[in-house]
Amino acid sequence: MSGDVVNLRQFRKRNARAEKEKQAEQNRISFGRTKAEKSLTEALNAKAAKALDQGRRQPAADRPDEAED
């Protein structure tokens, strides 16, 4: 009926290490890119934004309802 005895201090430290490792992995993915990869991503984002803006009926400057924002 009784479970295993667990040292809570060690358990917390183990969990903290695991969380730090997850964060480190995310940082490696996000920031560990070459300049070419970063510029490619930036170019793709710019192209997508341009394609989205081309589908608008009027430019944002001509719309009175969005000029206030």
Side-chain angles (χ1 to χ4, degrees), residues 14-68:
R14 191 177 313 125
N15 281 347
R17 283 188 207 109
E19 287 297 319
K20 284 184 180 182
E21 183 57 35
K22 283 183 190 177
Q23 184 64 41
E25 182 64 30
Q26 288 295 324
N27 287 343
R28 283 196 231 43
I29 292 170
S30 298
F31 301 112
R33 300 184 306 157
T34 64
K35 187 173 184 178
E37 290 171 334
K38 290 177 189 177
S39 63
L40 175 64
T41 301
E42 186 177 325
L44 290 174
N45 288 342
K47 182 178 179 181
K50 184 177 178 182
L52 180 65
D53 287 342
Q54 287 175 346
R56 293 185 186 267
R57 290 185 180 193
Q58 294 177 342
D62 294 344
R63 281 187 255 157
D65 58 335
E66 290 187 12
E68 298 171 6

